Amino acid sequence: MKLTVLGCAGTFPGPDSPCSSYLLEQDGFRLLVDAGNGSTGMLQRSIGLLDLDAVVISHLHGDHYLDLVTYTYARRYYPGGQPGCLPVYGPTGVQQHIAGAFGRPVDDLLAEVYEFNEMSPGRLDIGPFELELGRVNHPVETFGMRITAGGRTLAYSADTGVSDELVKLARDVDLFLCEASYLDGDHNPPDIHLTGREAGEHARRAEVHKLLLTHLVPWGDPDRTLAEATGVYDGDIAVARTCAGYDV
Ligand SMILES: [Zn+2]
């Protein structure tokens, strides 16, 4: 399984990165996990504009799904002809959220471009990927996920505060892609995001093989985030970089 980070900035785009978006590839199947604002640009640096097979949206905050709004035009009006409907899996209301951003009725347009599927906790098979979905600790319905393909396993935290469910999803995975939006010591509101230390603690509790920190807020300090996580987790660890590829 190959992971390419298309965007890893938390909450809003940074000068060097779009918001959250991760491309997973296995056996020629291309699954996009989240479509944060700006990520369609990076998608075109990695694969063709239309070369996606399915999309999973972890939750309906703008920095995780908004590029699906404008990507509608890319698929519908591509000069070479419109590709088939793209399966999109997301929380309850995913279609209505995307439609609402157009400011006019677009159900016919969206039906030509996307096939929407609302998710619930449990197993979901998409192409060669087996997903285990679980609700994590965030103010809107948010799915963390454990993704297995080709004998390798990745866990993705989505956005979450401290979460036992996330530890369960990440148990013993090869790569743990975990958000670390906050720094310790700030006045962090509870039940929204993790600090670098908390991400490290989740990795340690889940006994993951590698921790990749993501969703750092652009005004933060990646060195401090990494130091916080390293202080509590002594395994392989790095901060995600946009356009970097990782063999899971
Ligand atoms: Zn969020």
Side-chain angles (χ1 to χ4, degrees), residues 3-27:
L3 162 69
T4 304
V5 175
L6 303 184
C8 55
T11 308
F12 60 93
D16 302 313
S17 180
C19 286
S20 294
S21 189
Y22 309 97
L23 176 65
L24 294 179
E25 296 176 81
Q26 175 72 35
D27 300 337

Side-chain angles (χ1 to χ4, degrees), residues 59-64 138-140 142 158-160 179 192-193 215:
H59 69 298
L60 296 170
H61 278 162
D63 58 321
H64 290 257
H138 203 51
V140 298
T142 302
D159 285 6
T160 184
E179 77 121 290
I192 298 180
H193 291 299
H215 203 275

